[in-house]
Amino acid sequence: MQTVSHLIEQFIPDHYDLSMKLDGQNRTFEGTVSIHGVSQPTSEVISVHAKELSIHSVTFDGKEAQWRDGENDEVIITHQDMAPGKHMVVIAFSGTITDAMHGLYPCYYEH
């Protein structure tokens, strides 16, 4: 059986600010998310779910951070100043609105 790590074991979010711009005609979106939270003492990275998102930039406490795609649809964020405690991560991203039931998808319900 495969062992799956839980992302909350690395970083516990306590507040999100999300800003998005939707283009329904082209079925695309772009946005930024600011995530405030607490990094755990046992973690040297912060990972967040990012299935089918294109990441454009990441900052860690206002400084440019490095990131890479993980093997389980997550973005793994690193920074030389990462230490246990309260931090803020800001991620700029874009993606496609799809009919799959994950991410951002349209609703076709009519009354």
Side-chain angles (χ1 to χ4, degrees):
M1 182 151 95
Q2 180 183 4
T3 302
V4 177
S5 65
H6 297 276
L7 302 185
I8 200 161
E9 293 171 358
Q10 301 169 356
F11 184 71
I12 301 172
D14 59 27
H15 183 82
Y16 295 83
D17 288 312
L18 177 64
S19 174
M20 290 184 58
K21 181 175 151 182
L22 304 174
D23 181 348
Q25 187 168 2
N26 292 312
R27 295 179 66 119
T28 60
F29 61 90
E30 60 184 45
T32 59
V33 63
S34 300
I35 308 169
H36 301 255
V38 178
S39 184
Q40 299 303 299
T42 57
S43 182
E44 297 176 1
V45 301
I46 293 174
S47 298
V48 296
H49 294 284
K51 187 174 182 84
E52 297 184 17
L53 291 179
S54 296
I55 305 300
H56 302 289
S57 67
V58 177
T59 62
F60 175 81
D61 292 340
K63 301 172 214 160
E64 186 176 342
Q66 296 74 43
W67 78 91
R68 62 183 164 82
D69 294 326
E71 57 188 54
N72 296 306
D73 296 321
E74 77 273 18
V75 170
I76 300 167
I77 301 163
T78 59
H79 192 276
Q80 64 190 15
D81 295 337
M82 199 168 288
K86 291 191 74 73
H87 298 288
M88 181 176 69
V89 175
V90 178
I91 304 169
F93 60 89
S94 63
T96 304
I97 300 169
T98 66
D99 287 323
M101 295 299 286
H102 65 268
L104 209 56
Y105 53 91
C107 175
Y108 299 106
Y109 177 80
E110 293 182 27
H111 292 285

